[in-house]
Amino acid sequence: MRRRSIKKQLWLSQTENKILKEKSKVTGLNESELIRSFIKGYRIKEQPTEEIKQFQKELSGIANNINQIAKIANTYQFVKLDDFKYISSKLADFILRFEKKIYSREK
């Protein structure tokens, strides 16, 4: 048996229909789920792009490396210069690429 027993129909303009389809696509919800979410007052967010997911994965890896270096530093009370240089350069490179991507989208 259906969970929802009340059927509603509505009329949309071409523009409204296009917007509904676009919002449905970027949120990962079908049109019915999107409309029900709006009715319930949910704040709808876009799904992250593959590019953003890749940035998140890379940032997670960098954070993991920093954590490993911090554990060693806490245990032995020092950090190897090579480890520090490595993680510093990885982080600087990541930030530079991320900023380029963000600022190139704003133009």
Side-chain angles (χ1 to χ4, degrees):
M1 183 170 175
R2 288 182 165 266
R3 274 183 49 200
R4 296 173 179 89
S5 59
I6 300 171
K7 180 180 180 180
K8 295 286 181 181
Q9 291 181 304
L10 68 145
W11 293 91
L12 302 174
S13 69
Q14 291 270 345
T15 304
E16 291 167 335
N17 188 51
K18 182 179 176 187
I19 291 169
L20 179 61
K21 288 186 180 301
E22 287 172 359
K23 288 192 181 285
S24 176
K25 184 177 180 181
V26 298
T27 60
L29 301 172
N30 68 39
E31 293 173 9
S32 296
E33 290 171 327
L34 183 62
I35 291 170
R36 284 193 295 273
S37 296
F38 281 132
I39 289 170
K40 293 175 184 175
Y42 295 161
R43 294 175 63 203
I44 311 298
K45 296 182 185 178
E46 292 183 8
Q47 293 291 317
T49 63
E50 287 303 315
E51 186 176 47
I52 290 173
K53 288 179 185 177
Q54 185 61 37
F55 273 123
Q56 289 173 325
K57 183 178 179 181
E58 189 174 344
L59 186 57
S60 177
I62 292 170
N64 189 33
N65 287 345
I66 290 171
N67 191 38
Q68 290 171 348
I69 292 170
K71 284 182 181 180
I72 291 170
N74 285 331
T75 302
Y76 299 108
Q77 303 300 312
F78 76 94
V79 176
K80 292 181 192 174
L81 185 59
D82 290 344
D83 290 344
F84 180 76
K85 285 181 179 180
Y86 170 77
I87 201 63
S88 295
S89 68
K90 288 284 279 185
L91 190 55
D93 177 59
F94 174 83
I95 291 169
L96 183 64
R97 286 185 296 109
F98 187 76
E99 286 177 342
K100 279 183 182 178
K101 191 56 82 173
I102 296 296
Y103 293 130
S104 70
R105 286 187 177 166
E106 291 178 357
K107 292 181 180 179

